[in-house]
Amino acid sequence: MAQNKIEFLSAKDSEPSNFGWMKGFPPPADKTLSAADGSFFNFPAIRWSVVHMREMLPTQNVSRGLEAPSKLSYDLDKNIDGITFMPWNSKNKMTWEQSLWANYTDGMIIMHKGKVAYERYFSELTEHDVHAVMSLTKSFTGTLASILVAEGTLDENKLVPFYVPELKNSAYGDATVRQVMDMTTALKYSEDYANPKADIWDFSAAGNPLPKPADYKGPNGYYEYLETVKKEGKHGEVFGYKTVNADALGWIISRATNKSVTQLLSEKIWSKIGMEEDAYYQVDGKGIAFAGGGFNAGLRDLARFGELIRNKGMYNGNQIIPAQAVKDIEKGGDKTAFAKSDHPDLKGWSYRNMWWMTENKDGAYAARGVHGQTIYIDPVAEMVIVRMASHPIAANAANDATSLPAYEAVADYLKKKK
Amino acid sequence: MAQNKIEFLSAKDSEPSNFGWMKGFPPPADKTLSAADGSFFNFPAIRWSVVHMREMLPTQNVSRGLEAPSKLSYDLDKNIDGITFMPWNSKNKMTWEQSLWANYTDGMIIMHKGKVAYERYFSELTEHDVHAVMSLTKSFTGTLASILVAEGTLDENKLVPFYVPELKNSAYGDATVRQVMDMTTALKYSEDYANPKADIWDFSAAGNPLPKPADYKGPNGYYEYLETVKKEGKHGEVFGYKTVNADALGWIISRATNKSVTQLLSEKIWSKIGMEEDAYYQVDGKGIAFAGGGFNAGLRDLARFGELIRNKGMYNGNQIIPAQAVKDIEKGGDKTAFAKSDHPDLKGWSYRNMWWMTENKDGAYAARGVHGQTIYIDPVAEMVIVRMASHPIAANAANDATSLPAYEAVADYLKKKK
């Protein structure tokens, strides 16, 4: 038995089929999951819930449009499962296939040169489902903002109150849109998920769409909460990964366009590249999409999105979003600001337009969400990896050691293929 | 001013764009609609809500599958708007187009010989939306049951407890599945929407997916409620239109197949005929779909479903559901049992497999839901009409006088076309 470490059921043993969550007509009381009591997000129940969020919460549809889905070409590579890599801080090699189980993977797809090289579903996820992407949502918000900047609809140099006057007296009062996009705002706000008194829980309570408890005195909705965020330090100097920035950006782009984040994502992207499934956002009690973490989508559609970004906004020969919007992501963020933040495992990285820039030799970058959600783009390897997962530990520090070196190993393998 | 009659805003004046429901980031407090306080279902707010149910409530997706939508052929007929008819109890003729406004229509589509002859969207509905179909849901439940009977999976002669032992001590204890399918069960249960003490409100409270109030002592979920329904009278003699029968039938078909109503509808129909949009069900707090009234779907897809039924289970040349399942609907129900029920305007009608049989000269029949939802099938005229609406008065008695004769007039017109 490990010391100082909680032991969790393995990926195999924690599969929902072993528990029967929400199975039966009606499900037994001890197998009934609900957003009201929070039971749906505890491990191992979370392994079921990540594929069923809308069954417990109000949502807004992100329409794929009404056309036929775009066809994905396949060139499956059976060698990928056997690719080995050295996990960080380990003396033992691991295979790609082993890493999937180590990371509680629900779905894995690898695109190489625009074709599907690898595709697997585990646990509760199938090709017909959509999965909660958690904070990977932020990269959609950041991409939308980057599109609007490229189109000239959004001025990144403006102060936030230019678009959202309600934020004048908050920490955002003297922050620029660019600082919000890169999360270099200086906020008195803690996002330590392990601390039950962290501000993130107050933010969650404000955004919970279920009726507030009778004794609730806090803000109602994500935006009311944002008005209460206070400044601590100086904007523009330190990268501080805080979900509120993504929702502030959602507010900004909605005001700049008079369109909801949901509508923007459908209009700019989801209805434009032949997605095969509608996606959706969780919303607060006022119908505001959770731009910091409420998006849910299908594995293949996330791969299509990854391809759109890898190809600088082109999809099947058409320029869908401005190339400049992607170039502005790929140029990367402020490494000095990132180095001052608390990400000891991510040395040399930066953060730009709500994307995580590895700054590695291939210039790979990623959208990342808790419990293991990832879109990982390696431009040199012409590779897009999408992983959906339901790791028992929220923070990605728990799975990066067996993920990031695995992605690099697959990229190196693919680069050698002719 | 009319006496003894509430005056409502007109269809035009009650359009959501005149009010700004849920518009703005965030919407103003007096324009915010919520399922928690019931505000979303009051007229005129309901005109917005019928297109946005999932934004306020948990839902289950009815997948259309991942293939391309089936193509609908168009042969639009501009003469339809001018077709006149005599509304019931009226001395003045009305045109088809006038009837749409009189009935607070949100969407209207007419299929003739398999082609779209008429299609219009009003108020909050567009081709990209789905609309709450209210009790029209029951006809889906009844059709699924009819399919299962035709396939031999469900025995309509069995007593209900054969499939659902939990209902042994309820009114359903000695009712047959057939009696449930045709709503000739004898239940001590009132569904008078105008009476705030009617049982339907207790049933709704049980099925409400939001957390129960602290002082709530009633059943939790649709199925727990069904266990409490008591018998009053003798089964099989009188048609009694009661929503609980549809949910009892949902429970029966789920137990007979070990599949949810949601899954059954997707597997048997929604993923089989090239629907263009996923549909969805509202669910209770245990994830049980509301088989009596919780379905939401797109206008064109409801037309596709209507065509499937009109063509005795064939769609685009393929037998999708057993012809016998449709023949068993079309043979109609017990007219004597119907005549004993309280539907003075629907003389000579019957009710079969949760479809309303007009028993008119064309053998037309309909799926019907409150506030004006209709799928109306006229086999002789080779016509399917789908209307989505948000009439201020729930009961269809308020719109039948300007709807049913209009449908017959269009059918007569189409029969004369060669």
Side-chain angles (χ1 to χ4, degrees), chain A residues 22 24-27 32-34 36 54-61 63-69 127-128 166 209-211 223 251 254-255 258-261 263 276-278 283-288 300, chain B residues 22 24-27 32-34 36 54-61 63-69 127-128 166 209-211 223 251 254-255 258-261 263 276-278 283-288 300:
Chain A
M22 297 296 271
F25 310 101
T32 300
L33 301 175
S34 144
R54 71 178 141 205
E55 299 175 31
M56 293 171 289
L57 290 165
T59 56
Q60 269 173 2
N61 198 53
S63 172
R64 56 173 288 283
L66 304 174
E67 304 299 317
E127 61 174 359
H128 293 278
E166 291 94 328
L210 299 177
Y223 293 168
W251 200 353
S254 289
R255 282 288 173 79
N258 199 28
K259 291 179 179 177
S260 69
V261 171
Q263 192 180 354
E276 61 191 54
E277 293 184 281
D278 286 352
V283 293
D284 70 11
K286 296 176 175 178
I288 300 297
R300 288 191 199 129
Chain B
M22 297 298 270
F25 310 101
T32 301
L33 301 176
S34 143
R54 71 178 139 205
E55 299 175 31
M56 293 171 289
L57 289 165
T59 56
Q60 267 172 5
N61 196 53
S63 172
R64 56 172 289 282
L66 304 174
E67 304 299 318
E127 62 175 359
H128 293 278
E166 291 94 328
L210 300 177
Y223 293 167
W251 200 353
S254 289
R255 281 288 173 78
N258 199 28
K259 291 178 180 176
S260 68
V261 171
Q263 193 180 352
E276 59 191 55
E277 293 184 280
D278 287 353
V283 295
D284 71 11
K286 297 177 175 180
I288 300 298
R300 288 191 199 128

Side-chain angles (χ1 to χ4, degrees), chain A residues 135-389:
Chain A
S135 287
L136 192 149
T137 307
K138 296 177 175 70
S139 304
F140 284 93
T141 313
T143 301
L144 288 172
S146 194
I147 292 169
L148 296 173
V149 170
E151 291 176 351
T153 311
L154 180 69
D155 183 347
E156 66 178 50
N157 298 312
K158 285 274 190 285
L159 292 180
V160 172
F162 178 81
Y163 294 105
V164 186
E166 291 94 328
L167 289 177
K168 189 162 187 248
N169 297 319
S170 76
Y172 293 103
D174 61 347
T176 64
V177 171
R178 168 50 57 198
Q179 287 162 343
V180 177
M181 290 171 75
D182 293 345
M183 294 213 195
T184 57
T185 49
L187 310 181
K188 183 168 156 50
Y189 172 92
S190 154
E191 188 143 328
D192 176 6
Y193 286 84
N195 176 3
K197 297 208 164 178
D199 301 292
I200 182 71
W201 304 118
D202 294 335
F203 182 57
S204 291
N208 190 326
L210 299 177
K212 307 290 184 220
D215 59 349
Y216 180 79
K217 301 254 188 291
N220 182 6
Y222 293 120
Y223 293 168
E224 270 192 22
Y225 182 90
L226 294 178
E227 295 182 49
T228 72
V229 176
K230 296 296 171 205
K231 192 172 175 183
E232 185 174 69
K234 197 168 166 230
H235 297 315
E237 297 191 339
V238 181
F239 167 59
Y241 181 78
K242 297 177 179 187
T243 294
V244 284
N245 286 314
D247 286 284
L249 189 59
W251 200 353
I252 291 164
I253 63 176
S254 289
R255 282 288 173 79
T257 60
N258 199 28
K259 291 179 179 177
S260 69
V261 171
T262 307
Q263 192 180 354
L264 283 169
L265 184 54
S266 176
E267 286 184 12
K268 298 285 186 193
I269 297 173
W270 220 256
S271 67
K272 289 291 175 63
I273 58 175
M275 295 302 196
E276 61 191 54
E277 293 184 281
D278 286 352
Y280 65 87
Y281 277 101
Q282 296 150 232
V283 293
D284 70 11
K286 296 176 175 178
I288 300 297
F290 180 23
F295 190 54
N296 298 256
L299 187 69
R300 288 191 199 129
D301 289 337
L302 292 165
R304 286 180 171 92
F305 171 72
E307 281 293 305
L308 174 74
I309 299 299
R310 184 182 72 78
N311 289 299
K312 300 208 172 29
M314 297 271 289
Y315 199 85
N316 283 348
N318 300 311
Q319 192 75 40
I320 306 298
I321 60 174
Q324 179 53 32
V326 179
K327 286 179 188 164
D328 193 71
I329 295 166
E330 290 187 338
K331 79 180 190 189
D334 180 341
K335 290 197 226 183
T336 308
F338 192 98
K340 291 180 196 161
S341 74
D342 185 27
H343 293 94
D345 294 338
L346 308 180
K347 283 202 205 317
W349 287 38
S350 74
Y351 192 80
R352 180 76 177 173
N353 294 347
M354 306 209 167
W355 286 82
W356 298 82
M357 318 305 294
T358 73
E359 308 282 357
N360 73 359
K361 63 185 186 301
D362 290 356
Y365 54 102
R368 290 158 57 86
V370 286
H371 299 283
Q373 323 316 316
T374 310
I375 302 175
Y376 182 94
I377 300 175
D378 185 318
V380 175
E382 298 173 84
M383 176 187 84
V384 172
I385 291 178
V386 181
R387 177 183 67 190
M388 295 289 100

Side-chain angles (χ1 to χ4, degrees), chain A residues 71-88:
Chain A
K71 201 172 145 53
L72 286 182
S73 298
Y74 281 76
D75 183 12
L76 296 173
D77 185 335
K78 293 190 176 167
N79 296 324
I80 291 175
D81 270 329
I83 294 174
T84 57
F85 66 97
M86 191 65 81
W88 293 347

